[in-house]
Amino acid sequence: MTKPSLPDLLHAAVTAVGGTERPGQVAMAEAVAEAVDDSAHLLVQAGTGTGKSLGYLVPALAHGERVVVATATLALQRQLVERDLPRTVEALHPLLRRRPSFAMLKGRSNYLCLHRLHEGAPQEEEDGLFDVFEQATPTSKLGKDLLRLRDWADETETGDRDDLTPGVSDRAWGQVSVASRECLGAAKCAYGAECFAEAARERAKLADVVITNHALLAIDAIEGAPVLPQHEVLIIDEAHELVSRVTGVATGELTPGQVNRAVRRAAKLVDEKAADQLQTAAETFERLMELALPGRLEEIPEELGYCLMALRDAARTVISALGATRDKSVQDEDAVRKQAIASVENVHAVAERIANGSEYDVVWYERHDRFGASLRVAPLSVSGLLREKLFADRSVVLTSATLKLGGDFNGVGASLGLAPEGTQGDDDPVWKGLDVGSPFDYGKQGILYVAKHLAQPGREGSRTDMLDELAELIEAAGGRTLGLFSSMRGAQAAAEAMRGRLDMPILLQGEETLGELIRNFAADPRTCLFGTLSLWQGVDVPGPNCQLVVMDRVPFPRPDDPLMSARQKAVEEAGGNGFMAVAATHAALLMAQGAGRLIRATGDRGVVAILDPRVERARYGSFLRKSMPEFWYTTDRNQVRRSLAAIDKAAKEAG
């Protein structure tokens, strides 16, 4: 039998989802097929509307080996599992003569735990809490959520929290879910045979395509305990998020509340001497944290060092005691013990990591108004980790709409541990980058406007000239504005100012749920939506209701961000340009993502306005501009107002 050609397979899949093949999608599929066949690595920039999910799914399915697809967002996971994969598999079945199977796999805490549901979560007596199911009244929000979860447990086939609609509070879900370290294990659990998390893992073991998230991929790579099934092909979508997600997984934290919780959980299970040793260390730690000032600790203060060693040693003693003793009089003792061990092991691991010290780690204090002080440790870089763990023994394809910063892939490649394209040594992973473009004509559909006449933004203080400019732009656009701000304080100040000046609805992130805000923004053309980070990347509103995207300033990392400043300093000490490698690259990635909110369909028109003159005046400005879609560029404020007014008029006439 003749093997079906890739063009035939792609055509069948695209037709099945009701789409049209695009040149970029074809080029991507061909490049992915070549990389997979050659066991090579590929970075693909595919603009919005390219159809990149089919661009990688079709060649991966055609290859015939197991593939893992890791994404950053729930929305894309759902799109793949509920829309793209079912239709693609059915479309390719007559050509492939097989029907590839697929499954979704998440971390254990995403699945309902039947043991927790039926036996209740172990509680600390000192908290004054008993069985939350009994304590919560049926009329309270918590009680209603828990009753819903009990009913849902009998109905659901997956136990996946994301399949529960409407959702429940984090507090309610915490009572019926369990972290992997606290899980009894299927063999010891009375409900192991029915476990939703175990069933998901079994489905993944048998599937040809496994859909997961960046965090689980990072855990699989970092912790050395495989949670993903063996696979020959790894595809990382939304790859611009990977480094931050891996950094998050590799970050450790100690707080007084966390340490005290470990003490309470262990005290019921170990002898008094071991418990007192941990309690004493915890009290010293809490006293030190009351005095902690936010910022990086380039050297661990002597008193903190002694405290961390005391915590480490006390935790080790308790862990040994927990393994050696077992009190059958404690009800549901295995679950209580597992929870205690997990808490104490975390304290031990983080205290030991910080106490030992490493030139490859960054340690700092944080302080939050609500949560108090915390001690954190994160890797200075994850590039070496990714180079070693990600690119060995499999073909890796990374794709996103924003991988090419400043005109090439080398910046993103370096963050992944990849040597510059074409300069790899014998031991370096071999890769290539490909920009397949976009179906949109950015030069005709959009304008990039930089307000070079404004004063350069400072670290503090109100920018009255920027607020004047913002009000004039919104008026010219007739609303239809997505305001992307570098800080919540800036978004709040702008929202307050615009509500006082303009007769149109101004929505502000935090005043309602993000989903509700986006729905309201998309429903009314006169409405504006202001917010911070999640809006830079999480808004998809095609059509005339989003025709002006405003960025208040270049979103550089805060100068006092301990991790980013440490990374910048490390690059400089190695002879590189730390500002460009870290701060400018961080800003370019966010700005590229933010600018991508404007053109979401072939009929969209509009303006991206940057109210920071440094994008025009500063030496790094061209790097930032090259990282964004190739809009028509101008600094002429009058031209932009005329264009916005014309776009607004056309939208009103069409509507």
Side-chain angles (χ1 to χ4, degrees), residues 505-628:
I506 308 292
L507 306 178
L508 177 63
Q509 185 179 353
E511 293 183 346
E512 295 179 67
T513 66
L514 188 59
E516 189 67 21
L517 287 169
I518 294 173
R519 280 191 292 274
N520 291 339
F521 175 55
D524 178 11
R526 285 179 50 76
T527 296
C528 304
L529 172 58
F530 292 179
T532 56
L533 186 59
S534 54
L535 297 188
W536 288 73
Q537 305 185 74
V539 178
D540 184 10
V541 180
N545 289 13
C546 181
Q547 295 187 327
L548 173 61
V549 173
V550 178
M551 303 179 198
D552 70 325
R553 61 193 297 163
V554 178
F556 291 124
R558 294 192 333 266
D560 60 351
D561 183 304
L563 185 55
M564 298 297 269
S565 59
R567 287 176 170 175
Q568 188 167 319
K569 182 179 178 182
V571 173
E572 290 164 358
E573 289 176 348
N577 186 326
F579 172 77
M580 291 302 296
V582 179
T585 295
H586 171 87
L589 186 57
L590 272 178
M591 294 178 77
Q593 284 286 311
R597 303 309 99 202
L598 182 68
I599 306 298
R600 310 297 296 177
T602 53
D604 287 354
R605 300 286 188 276
V607 172
V608 172
I610 303 174
L611 308 186
D612 186 336
R614 293 175 294 181
V615 177
E616 167 65 21
R617 297 178 189 167
R619 291 178 62 185
Y620 54 78
S622 61
F623 174 80
L624 299 177
R625 296 197 302 272
K626 285 180 183 177
S627 302
M628 287 186 278

Side-chain angles (χ1 to χ4, degrees), residues 162-179:
D162 294 317
D163 291 339
L164 175 65
T165 52
V168 296
S169 68
D170 288 343
R171 185 185 178 200
W173 185 257
Q175 298 303 315
V176 297
S177 64
V178 62

